[in-house]
Amino acid sequence: MIVIIKYNAGNIKSVENAVRRLGYDCVVTDDSEQIRKAEKVIFPGVGEASSAMKYLTEKDLDKLIISLNQPVLGICLGQQLMCKYSEEGNTSCLGIFDVDVKKFPPEDKVPHMGWNEITGLKSPLFNEIKESSDVYFVHSYYCETSKETVAECNYIRPFAAAMEKNNFYACQFHPEKSAGIGELILKNFLEL
Amino acid sequence: MTLKKRIIPCLDIQNGRTVKGVNFVGIRDAGDPIELARKYADQGADELVFLDITATIEKRKTLVDLVEKVAQEINIPFTVGGGIHSVEDAGAVIKAGADKVSINSSAVKRPELITEIAERYGSQCVVLAIDTKFNESNWKVYVKGGREETPLETTFWAKIGESLGAGEILLTSMNNDGTKDGFALDITDQVAKNVNIPVIASGGAGSKKHFEDLFLNTEANAGLAASIFHYGEIPVPELKAYLKEQNIAIRYESGF
């Protein structure tokens, strides 16, 4: 079963819809037993980092997420919460990726909203995805690039559009809103 | 790598159907919104906007049902507007699957609404829609579907909206809307230069060249249009292919 982690973040419905469009059944839950037993776990989210972390900690989901062994995909805020620290609300995050999350400086319009190119693709998530494909982003904070970066984007500065470490995958863009290319990326994850 | 300019078909919704007016009056039917939405998404539209133009309390449920169906069917972002007066109204369409809500008259009446929705759901989902008209010497903000002038000057109001937490501005020039004579380049650029959030230009698109003019001459991030897409005058793929040929940063994949 595919499990989408339910917490106090928006945009969960679109992820659920996208998974169902691909023909997979899924449940949206914060039940730790169901999450632990899932075949794949999606950790979505649009929202604010400190309140999201607070909620995860209260529900003991923070410890649960880092202990998972099956493939886990963080999306947008999900990716940021998988990092070490976020400037948003001065928040200590899950620390799966050894990376900091910073606010875009106001050198261009913020949020970074719309379709932008991803390059340097090196993950099974991007099987059959061409270099410089356009995907949909909406975010005001970005993850710094590191050795865990598996796709880059450049807006104001280069940042990690996707990351991978062991069984943990993450993307800053929204595959569930990125038309056919996004569907293929989600499908690649679901077929891992 | 450049952030792409967005092409956004707008669907005006009345009683569950797509309609289109000219200069804010004179409505004609333009089809089933879900079919149209799916077609535009398949054709490579970057985003969609649904504006419920007869939002009355008894019709809200119809709109929420429609939003749910759209969210199930399409794989690109979409905004829903019309009749959103409270955080609860915004929440109803966001929970149904809308990515953003647009607010217009209700934000002029009670500007705190912008902040309330932004704090609850994030700035990225608050689109401040501004209907503007050039009135003797100034671009003024109009409300209630363009029927009522306010004392607000357009660029000033856009800046206030940004400071209150809006994540995007959807600027419609009433002088241009429905004319097919092109976008209002002056006010669009003035607003876009004065805010640090994306600006969607709306009103007046009648040709591919009008979108080229918009993106070459203003800092707008997106162009929105309705009738030229609904009646097949300019198919989305043809428009995007044209803009790409003019070296405008556009998301385009062959095979649409």
Side-chain angles (χ1 to χ4, degrees):
Chain A
M1 181 62 86
I2 311 297
V3 167
I4 299 169
I5 299 179
K6 181 174 150 187
Y7 67 116
N8 61 336
N11 206 40
I12 288 178
K13 188 86 191 163
S14 347
V15 176
E16 183 189 351
N17 284 331
V19 171
R20 291 191 192 282
R21 274 197 300 272
L22 287 165
Y24 287 83
D25 205 4
C26 61
V27 285
V28 180
T29 182
D30 58 2
D31 178 73
S32 54
E33 205 45 41
Q34 272 190 293
I35 296 170
R36 199 172 288 124
K37 284 196 298 202
E39 191 190 321
K40 303 263 163 45
V41 175
I42 300 180
F43 180 38
V46 166
E48 194 274 325
S50 68
S51 57
M53 264 318 288
K54 186 162 173 280
Y55 183 92
L56 293 174
T57 311
E58 279 167 9
K59 296 251 175 189
D60 277 333
L61 289 169
D62 55 340
K63 293 183 203 75
L64 174 67
I65 293 169
I66 56 175
S67 74
L68 294 172
N69 296 310
Q70 64 272 60
V72 178
L73 176 67
I75 298 174
C76 195
L77 179 64
Q79 163 168 302
Q80 299 184 357
L81 294 176
M82 285 158 85
C83 294
K84 196 170 59 184
Y85 166 81
S86 174
E87 283 185 0
E88 187 177 27
N90 187 22
T91 307
S92 282
C93 301
L94 299 172
I96 294 165
F97 299 109
D98 189 19
V99 163
D100 286 345
V101 182
K102 299 193 164 168
K103 181 152 191 162
F104 279 120
E107 291 159 23
D108 202 339
K109 292 179 190 277
V110 177
H112 173 219
M113 184 188 283
W115 299 79
N116 209 334
E117 290 166 35
I118 48 173
T119 57
L121 309 181
K122 45 182 181 194
S123 162
L125 287 183
F126 302 114
N127 280 345
E128 293 178 55
I129 303 284
K130 280 187 281 193
E131 277 290 310
S132 304
S133 289
D134 284 310
V135 290
Y136 189 79
F137 291 89
V138 185
H139 58 128
S140 301
Y141 291 79
Y142 67 94
C143 301
E144 293 188 302
T145 55
S146 72
K147 60 181 192 318
E148 291 150 350
T149 301
V150 292
E152 262 191 48
C153 181
N154 194 341
Y155 184 72
I156 301 179
R157 56 198 51 200
F159 66 87
M163 299 194 282
E164 182 184 325
K165 185 183 185 182
N166 306 324
N167 59 314
F168 292 99
Y169 301 79
C171 50
Q172 180 62 65
F173 54 89
H174 289 275
E176 76 281 10
K177 289 286 161 184
S178 296
I181 284 167
E183 278 177 358
L184 189 49
I185 294 169
L186 261 187
K187 187 163 169 279
N188 285 338
F189 171 74
L190 296 171
E191 286 178 356
L192 277 174
Chain B
M1 282 186 268
T2 323
L3 183 61
K4 304 300 187 290
K5 300 293 186 183
R6 286 172 279 156
I7 301 297
I8 308 180
C10 176
L11 291 78
D12 288 337
I13 306 295
Q14 188 177 48
N15 305 328
R17 296 284 292 176
T18 319
V19 295
K20 182 57 196 168
V22 178
N23 284 94
F24 282 62
V25 288
I27 301 288
R28 53 179 178 154
D29 190 275
D32 173 31
I34 295 173
E35 264 175 46
L36 267 178
R38 198 190 297 129
K39 184 178 94 175
Y40 293 141
D42 290 345
Q43 285 182 336
D46 296 306
E47 211 168 309
L48 298 172
V49 171
F50 296 83
L51 288 181
D52 192 15
I53 59 170
T54 50
T56 56
I57 288 155
E58 59 272 25
K59 296 277 160 47
R60 296 306 294 177
K61 208 185 159 313
T62 319
L63 179 70
V64 172
D65 288 346
L66 176 68
V67 172
E68 243 168 45
K69 288 196 193 98
V70 170
Q72 283 163 13
E73 295 273 342
I74 71 159
N75 54 13
I76 56 171
F78 69 98
T79 302
V80 174
I84 291 169
H85 300 288
S86 64
V87 179
E88 290 71 33
D89 292 341
V93 293
I94 290 169
K95 284 188 191 109
D99 298 280
K100 313 177 197 177
V101 294
S102 88
I103 50 176
N104 188 331
S105 308
S106 55
V108 173
K109 196 171 165 194
R110 207 170 63 79
E112 312 87 90
L113 180 61
I114 300 171
T115 314
E116 290 166 11
I117 303 174
E119 281 177 355
R120 178 67 186 81
Y121 296 102
S123 282
Q124 84 292 332
C125 77
V126 187
V127 181
L128 177 61
I130 304 177
D131 293 333
T132 184
K133 191 169 164 185
F134 192 73
N135 209 337
E136 290 163 23
S137 58
N138 269 315
W139 285 95
K140 286 287 183 58
V141 176
Y142 279 66
V143 291
K144 298 187 176 166
R147 290 188 299 274
E148 199 176 298
E149 189 188 325
T150 73
L152 287 167
E153 191 271 316
T154 298
T155 303
F156 172 78
W157 174 231
K159 288 170 77 162
I160 297 286
E162 177 186 23
S163 69
L164 291 173
E168 200 167 25
I169 304 282
L170 165 53
L171 182 70
T172 303
S173 162
M174 295 170 58
N175 301 75
N176 301 60
D177 192 61
T179 63
K180 298 193 177 179
D181 288 337
F183 292 97
L185 302 179
D186 52 349
I187 186 64
T188 300
D189 197 43
Q190 197 188 322
V191 170
K193 280 197 165 80
N194 276 281
V195 295
N196 200 40
I197 52 177
V199 173
I200 304 168
S202 155
S207 72
K208 292 178 273 193
K209 180 86 169 52
H210 291 154
F211 285 88
E212 182 188 357
D213 292 343
L214 174 70
F215 295 135
L216 287 180
N217 298 307
T218 79
E219 289 183 12
N221 299 80
L224 177 144
S227 54
I228 55 160
F229 298 133
H230 302 337
Y231 302 114
E233 292 161 36
I234 307 178
V236 174
E238 192 183 307
L239 171 61
K240 294 187 93 173
Y242 171 82
L243 293 173
K244 190 159 176 72
E245 275 168 33
Q246 315 308 312
N247 288 320
I248 288 165
I250 208 91
R251 166 181 160 257
Y252 182 81
E253 285 149 53
S254 51
F256 281 135

